[in-house]
Amino acid sequence: MHDYEVLAREVMARCETLARFSENAGGIRRTFLSPPMRDCHREITNWVAPLGCKSKVDAAGNLRIRYPGTGVNGRTLSLLVGSHLDTVPNAGAYDGVLGVVISVALLRAIDGRRFPFAIEVVGFSEEEGIRFGIPFIGSRAMAGTLDEEVLERRDADGISVREAIADFGLNPAEISSMALREDENAIGYLEFHIEQGPVLENSDRSLGVVEAIAGQSRLKFIFIGRANHAGTTPMNLRHDAVAAAAEWIGAVERRAKSVPDLVATVGAIQAKPGVGNVIAGEAELSLDVRHRDDETRKAAVEYLVDQAKHIAKSRGLEVQILELVNQQAVAMDSFLSGQIAEAMQKAGCEPYRMVSGAGHDAMIMATKIPSAMIFLRTPGGISHDPAESVRVEDIAKAIECGVQLLDQLAASSKFLSFMPRT
Ligand code: GLV
Ligand code: MN
Ligand code: MN
């Protein structure tokens, strides 16, 4: 049996290695199919080659690593384990990456043992939605829910998703046929992740079991006023896009604070022409709204859309609104989550059940196959920031729990009922 602490130290070192593959020096930024993503794929592929795995990059840029199983009644089954390899700008070293690297550590920990199911480690290509403004490109392609329209979206340099895929040496025409098929017998998807805020730390626990993932809306708002001279235009004759945006941002914060567990964020704002002595003619803002209850989230979005229209009208401006994401909340699979809770207990951790406020590839995979998540404590509750960190002992517990889970699944009669009969 492996020493889980030793494997956990290796996991940390490997996350730090992958952190060096970045679009900018001195920080971590690795967006969808950017050149450092290729370095990441190469590095991980080298790690798993000695373990008897086959690796490939699929048409959506997901790294797919397959560790063979014994099969059941001559049929091949697989359990998917993974997370995302893309990052936000100025990221930490663990969000997403940790889940992929722990999945690889599981393959190391089982020491060549075979299970009835193959273990497929997936490094999803795109989860954060940074390059094209929409998240989950990799997992949506795999779940078969990626709209064709998404392929035509363009990044800040005018490159479309389709072109980005071709530029990476992949074939965008294969996207429509790359979704998991019934006959691939994928029995489930498991994701380890660090991005859960201060909850586990505050309750002094290493690991959590995710019960559900909050739904999320992402929209773009463009307030259009009139640019004019900052010195010559009296205050009562202005159509200031930034002033309208500021009033609306106040409404966003007030709404979120007034509804339990609702979170709403304006994380990006761009003023045009964006200089000090010109009243802004245009202000473009992002809105991100999340709640575990879809109706509460939708009601908040509706209210904030109305507020934007009302504020624009009262100031003689126009507002354009574009919906980018309307992702419903999803429950995790109760059987898999129950198995995780049992595995955690056997690994000496009291399972803590929680709802995820962050979005994850598991919420997309759950639309296709039973999916579940294991959260790890985040010191200081920080993620999406270089200060993001993780404790070695928590990673060791996560690996131990993962190995325990594989053994349980292989032995479970409920699990066997997933298996096709001859
Ligand atoms: C992903 O990190 C998200 O929840 O925005
Ligand atoms: Mn993230
Ligand atoms: Mn993440």
Side-chain angles (χ1 to χ4, degrees):
M1 196 182 85
H2 270 282
D3 180 334
Y4 294 122
E5 287 251 346
V6 172
L7 278 179
R9 280 183 211 291
E10 181 180 80
V11 166
M12 298 223 31
R14 287 182 161 182
C15 289
E16 279 155 29
T17 299
L18 297 182
R20 295 205 303 263
F21 304 134
S22 172
E23 289 164 68
N24 53 257
I28 308 170
R29 177 192 165 102
R30 195 171 49 248
T31 56
F32 179 64
L33 298 185
S34 56
M37 194 59 97
R38 202 185 293 284
D39 301 322
C40 239
H41 291 165
R42 191 196 53 240
E43 184 74 16
I44 300 171
T45 301
N46 288 340
W47 296 339
V48 296
L51 303 176
C53 297
K54 285 211 163 67
S55 305
K56 65 169 188 185
V57 176
D58 69 20
N62 301 312
L63 177 62
R64 313 266 297 261
I65 296 164
R66 197 167 172 97
Y67 175 82
T70 56
V72 173
N73 298 333
R75 313 266 295 265
T76 310
L77 307 166
S78 62
L79 175 71
L80 274 48
V81 195
S83 192
H84 59 97
L85 290 171
D86 66 318
T87 75
V88 292
N90 199 30
Y94 302 100
D95 174 14
V97 168
L98 179 71
V100 181
V101 179
I102 288 183
S103 306
V104 170
L106 279 184
L107 299 182
R108 296 253 290 126
I110 58 180
D111 261 334
R113 278 194 297 140
R114 300 276 151 148
F115 292 85
F117 41 85
I119 300 172
E120 181 170 335
V121 174
V122 188
F124 286 108
S125 56
E126 208 297 327
E127 187 265 4
E128 299 285 7
I130 302 302
R131 181 166 175 189
F132 292 97
I134 37 159
F136 310 120
I137 295 175
S139 44
R140 285 204 228 182
M142 212 161 147
T145 57
L146 188 73
D147 299 332
E148 274 284 310
E149 171 267 323
V150 169
L151 297 180
E152 305 311 327
R153 283 211 179 208
R154 294 190 180 268
D155 68 8
D157 296 324
I159 298 168
S160 69
V161 173
R162 194 186 295 281
E163 287 160 357
I165 289 171
D167 290 350
F168 203 76
L170 302 168
N171 183 358
E174 287 172 13
I175 295 258
S176 55
S177 56
M178 63 160 274
L180 281 178
R181 297 183 317 272
E182 286 287 304
D183 64 358
E184 286 181 89
N185 300 320
I187 55 164
Y189 171 69
L190 171 69
E191 181 165 346
F192 293 86
H193 221 109
I194 192 167
E195 199 176 24
Q196 49 72 45
V199 177
L200 287 175
E201 180 165 66
N202 285 351
S203 59
D204 201 19
R205 289 167 203 258
S206 296
L207 303 178
V209 190
V210 179
E211 288 196 317
I213 304 178
Q216 55 174 278
S217 296
R218 297 194 200 184
L219 296 94
K220 186 195 279 188
F221 287 71
I222 307 174
F223 287 94
I224 302 163
R226 193 180 310 130
N228 208 338
H229 198 294
T232 63
T233 319
M235 293 310 287
N236 62 336
L237 295 178
R238 295 180 177 214
H239 302 282
D240 184 335
V242 162
E247 187 180 341
W248 177 72
I249 291 169
V252 171
E253 193 181 36
R254 274 194 303 281
R255 174 71 178 208
K257 282 184 165 168
S258 70
V259 178
D261 298 328
L262 180 71
V263 287
T265 309
V266 177
I269 173 162
Q270 201 181 11
K272 283 187 194 159
V275 293
N277 62 350
V278 181
I279 298 161
E282 214 173 286
E284 185 177 311
L285 298 94
S286 64
L287 176 68
D288 179 311
V289 181
R290 308 191 190 200
H291 199 275
R292 72 176 73 174
D293 174 59
D294 288 329
E295 294 314 312
T296 306
R297 172 176 53 87
K298 285 182 196 159
V301 170
E302 229 168 82
Y303 171 80
L304 293 171
V305 163
D306 283 350
Q307 281 296 300
K309 288 180 182 165
H310 171 75
I311 290 167
K313 193 168 173 207
S314 69
R315 290 169 170 271
L317 278 72
E318 272 177 48
V319 61
Q320 292 175 355
I321 301 163
L322 182 68
E323 184 183 71
L324 300 170
V325 175
N326 176 2
Q327 186 68 45
Q328 64 183 26
V330 289
M332 295 289 92
D333 182 72
S334 60
F335 168 70
L336 279 180
S337 299
Q339 290 291 313
I340 289 172
E342 200 178 313
M344 270 181 198
Q345 251 152 353
K346 289 188 182 143
C349 295
E350 200 44 46
Y352 186 80
R353 292 187 178 263
M354 54 197 293
V355 171
S356 173
H360 297 290
D361 293 299
M363 75 194 299
I364 305 301
M365 297 307 286
T367 63
K368 187 81 180 178
I369 55 176
S371 297
M373 290 190 74
I374 296 175
F375 271 162
L376 286 84
R377 167 167 40 191
T378 325
I382 296 169
S383 55
H384 284 185
D385 186 88
E388 182 180 85
S389 63
V390 62
R391 294 191 191 176
V392 172
E393 63 268 29
D394 294 347
I395 299 177
K397 283 289 173 205
I399 300 170
E400 183 175 354
C401 170
V403 173
Q404 183 60 46
L405 180 67
L406 293 176
D407 282 329
Q408 280 170 217
L409 290 180
S412 160
S413 57
K414 168 81 162 69
F415 171 73
L416 286 170
S417 74
F418 277 118
M419 297 182 179
R421 310 257 173 240
T422 46

